[in-house]
């Protein structure tokens, strides 16, 4: 609805999100214990969302809004941090874990800290592992023969990797 898209566009500072178009959508809804439980999925050329949570009958929200933004929109988020490099997939789609609370008429949007905590360390470890593998098993390095010593990674390159990952 209008309040949700307005909040999302304002929160991410992306005018393109004021009107969202989806080419595909599906989901499951159930009503139990005075609330509408939802688990859905929406896909478009710029945005993919998987809202999951509930809306109470009085309009209160508790919805994890797992949002993926196209590479073009991800780039518009800006270089304000190293987060975008850890929360993008191989195709450049950015993952923005958000949470809606508040009410349907006045939704409050924030970063989903639980999702970040669950995903953050694994993503950092995966990225570090890939960088180290690229460095150690550089395709330009000829394969080693049995008994031949392996080349040690350059400490300066390792330092650059950590600087790129953590900014230090």
């Amino acid at each position: 609805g209008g309040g949700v898209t307005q909040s999302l566009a304002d929160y991410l500072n992306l005018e393109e999100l004021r009107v969202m178009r989806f080419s595909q959508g599906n989901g499951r809804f159930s009503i139990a214990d005075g609330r509408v439980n939802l688990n859905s999925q929406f896909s478009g050329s710029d945005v993919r969302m998987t809202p999951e949570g509930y809306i109470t009958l009085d309009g209160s929200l508790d919805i994890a809004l797992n949002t993926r933004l196209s590479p073009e929109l991800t780039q518009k988020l800006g270089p304000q941090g190293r987060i975008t490099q850890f929360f993008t997939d191989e195709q450049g789609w950015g993952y923005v874990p958000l949470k809606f609370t508040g009410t349907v008429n006045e939704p409050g949007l924030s970063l989903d800290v639980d999702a970040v905590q669950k995903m953050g360390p694994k993503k950092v470890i995966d990225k570090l592992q890939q960088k180290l593998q690229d460095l150690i098993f550089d395709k330009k390095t000829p394969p080693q023969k049995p008994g031949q010593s392996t080349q040690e990674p350059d400490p300066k390159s390792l330092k650059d990797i950590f600087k790129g990952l953590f900014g230090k």
Side-chain angles (χ1 to χ4, degrees):
V4 172
T5 57
Q6 184 78 20
S7 294
L8 186 59
D10 290 343
Y11 186 81
L12 295 176
N13 196 26
L14 290 172
E15 287 297 317
E16 293 86 348
L17 298 180
R18 295 211 186 279
V19 176
M20 288 188 246
R21 292 179 178 84
F22 298 105
S23 56
Q24 187 175 22
N26 60 52
R28 287 181 281 154
F29 305 89
S30 65
I31 300 174
D33 300 323
R35 62 187 198 184
V36 177
N37 300 296
L38 62 106
N39 185 341
S40 54
Q41 183 176 353
F42 301 96
S43 291
S45 59
D46 287 329
V47 181
R48 298 174 185 162
M49 294 181 177
T50 55
E52 185 175 347
Y54 64 86
I55 303 170
T56 64
L57 295 179
D58 68 358
S60 297
L61 299 171
D62 187 1
I63 299 175
L65 185 68
N66 299 309
T67 306
R68 296 196 180 274
L69 301 174
S70 68
E72 295 78 21
L73 290 182
T74 300
Q75 287 177 354
K76 288 185 177 187
L77 288 177
Q80 67 254 42
R82 291 146 192 66
I83 292 175
T84 54
Q85 70 179 326
F86 295 115
F87 292 103
T88 55
D89 63 18
E90 299 79 31
Q91 291 82 32
W93 280 76
Y95 173 61
V96 185
L98 299 171
K99 187 158 196 145
F100 269 115
T101 54
T103 66
V104 172
N105 293 330
E106 293 184 34
L109 188 59
S110 63
L111 194 62
D112 188 343
V113 177
D114 292 335
V116 171
Q117 287 176 344
K118 288 177 187 174
M119 185 180 182
K122 180 184 179 343
K123 194 73 169 170
V124 170
I125 290 168
D126 289 349
K127 187 83 164 183
L128 180 59
Q129 180 180 8
Q130 184 61 49
K131 293 250 186 201
L132 287 172
Q133 283 179 344
D134 290 348
L135 175 69
I136 293 169
F137 301 108
D138 187 351
K139 292 177 177 62
K140 297 175 193 166
T141 305
Q144 301 292 319
K145 295 179 184 175
Q148 187 178 13
S149 66
T150 58
Q151 181 181 2
E152 292 292 317
D154 178 12
K156 184 179 183 312
S157 296
L158 288 174
K159 186 176 180 181
D160 290 342
I161 289 171
F162 282 103
K163 185 176 183 180
L165 286 171
F166 304 109
K168 295 180 181 179

